[in-house]
Structure formats: C-alpha cells, structure tokens
Amino acid sequence: MPLLRDYIAEHERATNYGGEAVRALDRGEHGQAHELLVAMAEELRSHWLGEENGLFAVMGTDDLYAQHIAPLVQEHRELDALLESVDLSDPDDRDRVRKAVFDLHEHIAKEEDGLFPASLTALDGDEWDAAMSGWREAHPGKSMIGRG
Ligand SMILES: [Fe+2]
Ligand SMILES: [Fe+2]
C-alpha cells in the first residue's frame, strides 16, 4: 500500500535524524544536534499532519481504533512541544531528547505493528482515497512513493 510505505519511509528518516542527534549530543556537539533535531521536527510535523488528517481520521471513525489513535496523537503533541521548547544547553533537556528519541521508536512500533496492519483489512477503497488525500494535503507538491 503506497500510503503505508510513505509513512514508514517518513518514520525511517525521522528516527535516523533522532539517532544522529543523540550521537551528536554524546559527542558534545550541541550545534549539530540542534540542526538534526530541526530536521527531525520538520520531517515529523508533515508526517503527523499526514497521519492525523489521513489514516487516523479515517480509522478514527471506528470506536475501537479511536481508542488506539487518541494516545498516538497525544504522543505527537508531546514530542512537538519538546522539540519546540528544547534547550540543549540544559542537561535535563538533553536527557528529555534522549528519552523522546527512544520513545519515538515505541510510538512507531505501535503504528507499524498495530494500526497499519489493521488498516489493510479495515479500510475500503473510498477510505484509502480519503486517507491518501489527507497525506497529500500534508505534503504539498510531493508525490507518493511509487505513484509518480
Ligand atoms: Fe504517529
Ligand atoms: Fe507515524
């Protein structure tokens, strides 16, 4: 499914930036870590919009899935707030970044091992179209992987 492949590619880019940012922090290169976190935030903000207005909006009309989606959206907001306010000169914030990058992997696992496989059987053709149009609105001018 092209939409899921795009989401997964976005996850990989975001976690790569996050991992590199943590390694930069470990080396004491806070400027580089900051740049990597900016890149991660940029990747994630369009990703979150694409999920929340795409797949989550469509699946969330089902109460069963809505229960799983609400905490995922909450985690998006929490990480967004951290990325907005983070001060890498503060050791507590550096620890928060390390934990957030770790937690992001858990968040992604809940999507890739839970919600995404469930969507393959839950959604019909019109619902996939609606989910994909949510993604397109979040990524103006970009094409989905494998869809030219
Ligand atoms: Fe997410
Ligand atoms: Fe995601």
Side-chain angles (χ1 to χ4, degrees), residues 1 4 55 58-62 64-66 69 114-128 131:
M1 182 53 66
L4 299 182
L55 190 69
V58 174
M59 291 189 87
T61 58
D62 183 319
L64 172 69
Y65 297 122
I69 289 168
L115 205 64
F116 291 1
S119 73
L120 290 172
T121 52
L123 301 193
D124 66 22
D126 287 346
E127 288 169 321
W128 279 114

Side-chain angles (χ1 to χ4, degrees), residues 37-104:
L37 290 177
V38 168
M40 182 174 89
E42 192 180 338
E43 183 72 46
L44 283 174
R45 284 180 183 133
S46 59
H47 174 69
W48 290 332
L49 209 57
E51 282 185 337
E52 291 173 27
N53 295 344
L55 190 69
F56 290 10
V58 174
M59 291 189 87
T61 58
D62 183 319
D63 286 345
L64 172 69
Y65 297 122
Q67 288 173 29
H68 295 279
I69 289 168
L72 293 171
V73 173
Q74 178 62 31
E75 287 168 14
H76 293 173
R77 295 291 86 77
E78 286 167 7
L79 180 52
D80 195 21
L82 175 65
L83 291 170
E84 188 75 44
S85 67
V86 69
D87 172 4
L88 294 180
S89 68
D90 177 349
D92 289 340
D93 266 16
R94 296 200 294 273
D95 285 345
R96 285 188 195 100
V97 166
R98 287 190 174 87
K99 181 175 187 303
V101 170
F102 180 85
D103 289 347
L104 180 61

